[in-house]
Each structure stands twice: as C-alpha cells, then as structure tokens.
Amino acid sequence: MKKIIFLLSTLFIFSACKNAENNTEVTTDNPRQEFSIIIHGGAGTILKKNMSPEMETAYKQKLEEAIRVGYEILKNGGTSIDAVTKTINVMEDSPLFNAGKGAVFTHEETNEHDASIMDGKTLNAGASAGTTTVKNPIDLAKAVMEKSPHVMLSGKGADTFAKKQGLQIVEPNYFYTERRYKSLQNIKEKEQTELDHDTKVSFYDGDIKDSKFGTVGCAALDKNGNLAAGTSTGGMTNKRWGRIGDSPIIGAGTYANNNTCAVSSTGWGEYFIRGMIAYDISALMEYKNLSLKEAAQEVIQNKLTRLGGTGGIVAIDKNGNMVAEFNTAGMYRATINDKGELSIGIYKN
Ligand code: ASP
C-alpha cells in the first residue's frame, strides 16, 4: 500500500513539474466549472527585468478590470459571446495593448486592425481585417457574424459595413499613441542601418520580432455550456502591403466548438496560420481524445516550436478547464473560475 502511495505521489509531482517546465498553466481541473473565463494580452519576450513595477501594476489592473467584466456577464447568466466581446472591449480601449486604441503602426504610419470571434454552439464565426476607423474591432467581427452572410470582411468595405451597423467610428488619429509611434521609428531606423550595412534585413529579427506585444484575446464558457472565443490586434509593427496575421483567421487565431474547446492565439501570426494552431488543438481533442492540456502542449510546445513559431494560446474546454500555454518568456494572462477565484500571470512560472 505504502509503495502504491509513493508511486502515485511521485507520478503527481512529475506531472506537475512537467507542466511548469512547459509553461502550461492549468487553473482548474475537474470538477466541472459552471462557467469560466480566460484572457490574454499578448505573448513575447516579456521579462521582469525589462518591466517597471508601475507598468506591471498597470497591466495587472487592466487585465483584472477586463476579465471581471466578462465574469459578471457569465455569473449573471449572460452568453459567452457577450462575455468575450465586452471583455475584449476593455482591453481595446486601453493604450496598453496592441488592439484598438493601443494598436501598433504599419510601415505607412497607419493603424490596421484585425479581429475575429467564434460561437462554439453554432460554429458561426465573424472576422474583419485591415480596418482603420472602427474603434472596437471585436464588435465588427461580432457584427459580421451576426448581421452578414459572410465570415470575413476586409479593408474599406469592412469599415463601411461597420458604419452601416451603427458601430462606433473614429478618426484614424484616435489610434495614435506615442509609445507605438516610437516603436515604429526604432524599427525603421534599425532597418535602415541594416540596409546601409548591406546586412540581411529580416522583418522579424531581434526587436522587430517582439514589436507586436499586446494582441488581446478571450475564451469563455457560459452557464448554458456554450463556448466562445475572440481575438483582436493591430498586428505587427511596420507591417506593410496589407499584411494580415492569424488573429482574424478562424482556425488559426480563434476557434470555438462546444464539443471540444474555445481558443484564442497570440504570437508570430504567420506560423499560427501555417499551423492552424487554434483548430489543431480542437482537432486533437475531437479526433484523438486528448485533454485540452495535452492538446495545447502538443500544439504549442511541439508543433509550433518545431515550425519555428513563437507565441501562445488561452483556451477553455467544455468542462470549464482553462489552459494558458506558451513557448515565449511571458504572456499577459488572467483567469476567473465559477467560484470567482482570480489568477493573473505575466511571466513564465
Ligand atoms: N498574432 C498577431 C499577428 O501576427 C500578433 C500577436 O499576437 O502578437 O498579427
């Protein structure tokens, strides 16, 4: 008997360590959660040594403010779609995140927003790419899903549709923030130096790779057992030629299916598109019976990492178990379960 207890506890310790090593955070495990919510505010080389205590507090406060909005909706019997939208709105309205107000700048010194949302009950989805005047791009994604026969709208057409739907429209300069503008100038200078010295210019090298912190996303399970996920971003600093990342791509940046899970991604978008990261997690659960934790680890730590991609996901399964999985130094994230227990993280544990 003693031997069995020893073996079991060794196994338990081993699997706990393994999770910590892999950056998996499982904030809830059975029993089933009546409802739950998880958010991210972007993944990347987020290191404590580069963060002032004031910035850290500001991020934590905003993450808490945002997730509490969704939590209240879910607690009061609202839908996961509403919780996801309203939670993302809070982060879109903050200059801290690379979405809405705080969106990064394109090479042409504009701000182009991408967003998507998916309803796990119906598998309905909506997305918008490259908009420049919509204050809250996640509202547009939701309107595309609910008020149009389409899944994805882009550019001027998407801006026009938003206006017709009565969504809040702003002047493009609403999205100006000094911090993001300076990031663009830094990257352009670096690019110019590389050109002057005839070195290979890589869009994603060094600072450039990490010039996209702050995409926001949310996954939620409501009291009716419906899952939803949404993602909103300004994309990557210095992007050009109408570049679109994974965030508005259903299956890459966002996915939700009541039979499996709801996922929102953040990271180097090109890899998330090629790996169909969000859908792949759901597919492993659906076809291979993996748990959410196993599926997320497999896709982020093995598949994405092997491809050369960096970033992470937040996800919830149909029982309300929540996972934050990433292969970067950090990911802004928070969860609340049905007992109202809040957890906030920034760095790797
Ligand atoms: N995935 C986003 C993109 O590639 C950026 C990010 O999540 O940091 O546009």
Side-chain angles (χ1 to χ4, degrees):
M1 186 63 189
K2 266 188 185 164
K3 258 190 181 169
I4 294 173
I5 292 175
F6 173 74
L7 258 172
L8 283 175
S9 50
T10 315
L11 260 174
F12 176 76
I13 291 167
F14 174 73
S15 76
C17 292
K18 203 161 171 269
N19 285 342
E21 229 174 64
N22 285 341
N23 270 343
T24 307
E25 251 177 31
V26 183
T27 47
T28 55
D29 244 322
N30 298 321
R32 192 183 183 284
Q33 295 284 308
E34 202 191 354
F35 63 95
S36 54
I37 181 164
I38 185 165
I39 60 174
H40 70 75
T45 316
I46 307 165
L47 298 167
K48 200 170 175 67
K49 64 174 191 212
N50 298 332
M51 184 85 86
S52 69
E54 294 75 28
M55 275 303 254
E56 196 176 299
T57 306
Y59 273 106
K60 284 186 174 167
Q61 280 176 348
K62 199 44 87 172
L63 287 169
E64 179 170 353
E65 184 191 330
I67 199 165
R68 285 206 181 282
V69 168
Y71 170 75
E72 286 301 321
I73 293 172
L74 296 171
K75 197 175 103 184
N76 293 324
T79 67
S80 50
I81 283 286
D82 263 357
V84 164
T85 312
K86 297 282 175 359
T87 298
I88 289 181
N89 283 163
V90 175
M91 293 188 279
E92 286 178 331
D93 290 344
S94 161
L96 288 175
F97 301 99
N98 172 18
K101 172 68 187 153
V104 298
F105 280 86
T106 68
H107 186 78
E108 289 75 26
E109 308 194 345
T110 58
N111 308 93
E112 293 178 3
H113 308 259
D114 299 336
S116 64
I117 194 162
M118 186 157 182
D119 181 346
K121 182 184 176 190
T122 57
L123 301 187
N124 275 346
S128 61
T131 57
T132 56
T133 62
V134 182
K135 180 169 173 273
N136 294 102
I138 196 70
D139 294 354
L140 171 54
K142 183 167 176 274
V144 173
M145 174 172 81
E146 291 173 350
K147 311 263 175 60
S148 88
H150 309 299
V151 170
M152 186 190 264
L153 299 181
S154 70
K156 280 205 163 56
D159 278 296
T160 308
F161 174 79
K163 202 171 172 188
K164 285 210 155 149
Q165 291 302 320
L167 301 185
Q168 205 170 338
I169 302 298
V170 290
E171 288 298 320
N173 67 8
Y174 162 80
F175 300 109
Y176 176 89
T177 57
E178 202 186 328
R179 174 183 172 210
R180 300 296 191 196
Y181 189 71
K182 275 192 179 152
S183 299
L184 175 68
Q185 301 315 321
N186 288 341
I187 287 174
K188 280 187 169 176
E189 265 166 40
K190 189 167 183 261
E191 239 181 14
Q192 194 51 50
T193 317
E194 285 175 341
L195 277 173
D196 290 348
H197 292 82
D198 202 23
T199 53
K200 187 174 162 279
V201 180
S202 167
F203 186 72
Y204 299 105
D205 273 352
D207 299 342
I208 298 175
K209 180 172 79 182
D210 287 322
S211 59
K212 54 176 176 42
F213 292 143
T215 290
V216 304
C218 178
L221 171 73
D222 65 28
K223 285 185 175 173
N224 289 319
N226 292 323
L227 287 164
T231 312
S232 180
T233 189
M236 291 180 127
T237 304
N238 203 27
K239 66 182 182 181
R240 63 198 301 194
W241 303 302
R243 181 263 187 192
I244 294 168
D246 60 313
S247 307
I249 312 274
I250 296 302
T254 300
Y255 194 73
N257 181 339
N258 274 6
N259 293 326
T260 55
C261 62
V263 184
S264 169
S265 311
T266 174
W268 192 339
E270 279 68 9
Y271 288 90
F272 280 73
I273 295 173
R274 289 167 55 203
M276 270 288 122
I277 296 300
Y279 175 72
D280 216 31
I281 293 171
S282 167
L284 282 177
M285 294 176 72
E286 188 168 4
Y287 301 123
K288 293 281 184 191
N289 269 325
L290 261 58
S291 70
L292 175 61
K293 179 173 70 177
E294 292 164 341
Q297 276 184 355
E298 175 61 32
V299 172
I300 299 299
Q301 306 303 342
N302 295 334
K303 180 176 175 175
L304 178 72
T305 305
R306 269 201 304 268
L307 271 172
T310 51
I313 56 97
V314 295
I316 300 193
D317 71 13
K318 59 182 178 184
N319 294 320
N321 296 306
M322 297 181 277
V323 167
E325 183 78 37
F326 50 101
N327 68 359
T328 48
M331 179 165 77
Y332 300 107
R333 58 201 187 276
T335 63
I336 306 189
N337 62 18
D338 62 358
K339 284 168 215 70
E341 292 160 343
L342 167 76
S343 139
I344 300 183
I346 298 181
Y347 315 104
K348 200 193 282 189
N349 288 326

